[in-house]
Amino acid sequence: MTSHPHDEQGIHTDFRSRMTYADYLKLDSIISSQNPISGHHDEMLFIIIHQVQELWIKLILHELKAATKAILDGDMQPAFKMLARVTRIQHQLIQSWEVLSTLTPAEYLEFRDKLGNASGFQSYQYRLMEFALGYKKEAILKIYKEKPEIYKELQAAYQSPSIYDVTIQSLAKAGFPIPKEILHRDVSKTYEANVSVQNAWKQVYKKAADHWDLYQLAEKLVDVEDAFSQWRFRHMKTVERIIGHKVGTGGSSGVTYLKHVINHRFFPELWDVRTEL
């Protein structure tokens, strides 16, 4: 006689002194953190989508930080795995906009005013992610001055080398002639393309077998930026679909701002070199 799955004899049922699944994941705290303030049915969707995105971004930051250190230490294989994971996470973020796009303009208007000036533009984790990838704007920091701990964390990230800064250092360590002004540049500034760096990548791509680690690293970074661009585009189109060209709740220009940042490139030479190959 075949036993039913529910007849498992070894299942633990006494948790008076044992940690449960809910205990480990702090589910009481997580599941009780969705508190709509409008009473409208669709506000729950809006809250959960943004909370889930923040959790995924937290994991991206965890992986980017470790990958940056691994690259700096010359330990490339773990960095490849971490960056591959980042890209998989990014595809989850891209799909999340598909869910939010089920929110219609009329439905959003039912609770938009309740948000006040709260806006995704203020996501400090998103700023940390931009900083980790090399996009840095000092004016952004002003948003967080009233939150000392967050402001301190952002300032530290703002002053730290990005993953591309340490990648360029790897090019120099491999013997490519990278100018000192690039290797010792002010890392609080957004990186701008450099001919010497592009020439180095050109040689890496032309002789991939001789520079296999750098070649793989380049492609992993391209994967990350490609997915980031897709995420930005889906974000922009979702916002345009729901609120059109209205000003954002945080005071940004909304779709206009989102369209502008789509064109930014974190790793410019990795894209420019493709034209020369």
Side-chain angles (χ1 to χ4, degrees):
M1 182 177 178
T2 304
S3 63
H4 192 278
H6 293 168
D7 295 333
E8 291 283 344
Q9 299 299 310
I11 294 175
H12 296 291
T13 57
D14 184 357
F15 290 96
R16 286 173 294 182
S17 60
R18 295 174 179 173
M19 180 173 63
T20 67
Y21 173 79
D23 293 335
Y24 175 67
L25 295 178
K26 303 292 189 292
L27 289 184
D28 288 347
S29 175
I30 293 172
I31 294 175
S32 63
S33 295
Q34 296 75 46
N35 300 295
I37 57 178
S38 70
H40 191 273
H41 173 81
D42 294 304
E43 190 184 351
M44 182 66 78
L45 161 70
F46 191 80
I47 292 171
I48 289 176
I49 287 294
H50 288 87
Q51 287 183 340
V52 168
Q53 286 199 350
E54 289 292 335
L55 285 172
W56 279 129
I57 293 173
K58 182 175 183 177
L59 184 53
I60 285 176
L61 290 170
H62 176 71
E63 300 296 338
L64 285 178
K65 181 178 180 180
T68 300
K69 184 179 185 305
I71 295 166
L72 187 61
D73 294 341
D75 197 7
M76 294 298 189
Q77 293 302 319
F80 298 157
K81 174 64 180 293
M82 294 163 190
L83 291 173
R85 182 175 292 162
V86 167
T87 303
R88 295 292 183 91
I89 297 166
Q90 288 175 300
H91 286 293
Q92 295 296 317
L93 287 167
I94 292 165
Q95 288 301 311
S96 70
W97 294 125
E98 298 298 318
V99 181
L100 188 59
S101 68
T102 64
L103 182 68
T104 68
E107 289 164 345
Y108 185 46
L109 284 173
E110 291 291 328
F111 62 87
R112 186 176 191 247
D113 287 346
K114 297 290 185 180
L115 303 179
N117 295 127
S119 166
F121 189 83
Q122 298 148 10
S123 169
Y124 75 91
Q125 286 201 129
Y126 176 76
R127 300 306 173 186
L128 287 171
M129 185 166 57
E130 285 189 324
F131 290 174
L133 294 172
Y135 183 65
K136 300 181 178 182
K137 297 294 180 184
E138 187 175 12
I140 290 294
L141 293 172
K142 296 178 182 178
I143 299 172
Y144 310 96
K145 279 193 172 181
E146 303 306 316
K147 300 284 186 180
E149 289 185 10
I150 292 173
Y151 186 67
K152 183 178 180 180
E153 184 178 1
L154 282 162
Q155 276 193 314
Y158 182 73
Q159 297 291 342
S160 296
S162 72
I163 195 166
Y164 198 49
D165 287 318
V166 300
T167 294
I168 292 172
Q169 290 178 29
S170 295
L171 286 171
K173 290 174 184 176
F176 292 100
I178 307 297
K180 289 183 179 179
E181 61 265 28
I182 297 297
L183 295 174
H184 303 291
R185 75 182 195 89
D186 181 354
V187 296
S188 70
K189 307 297 182 184
T190 297
Y191 178 80
E192 295 182 2
N194 176 269
V195 173
S196 296
V197 174
Q198 184 167 324
N199 288 336
W201 284 125
K202 186 176 179 180
Q203 293 307 310
V204 168
Y205 274 88
K206 281 189 169 183
K207 299 180 179 180
D210 295 335
H211 309 288
W212 191 247
D213 278 355
L214 288 170
Y215 175 72
Q216 287 190 86
L217 178 57
E219 286 299 288
K220 288 289 187 288
L221 291 176
V222 168
D223 287 343
V224 169
E225 179 153 4
D226 190 350
F228 202 98
S229 295
Q230 293 180 52
W231 183 73
R232 278 174 161 169
F233 178 79
R234 287 310 313 157
H235 183 191
M236 182 273 293
K237 293 306 292 184
T238 302
V239 171
E240 186 174 30
R241 176 174 178 156
I242 296 173
I243 68 167
H245 287 261
K246 293 185 180 73
V247 172
T249 49
S252 75
S253 57
V255 168
T256 301
Y257 170 79
L258 296 173
K259 284 183 176 180
H260 172 72
V261 296
I262 283 174
N263 295 322
H264 173 76
R265 298 182 303 173
F266 296 110
F267 320 127
E269 295 93 349
L270 292 179
W271 296 97
D272 292 339
V273 74
R274 283 156 161 74
T275 305
E276 293 193 10
L277 291 172

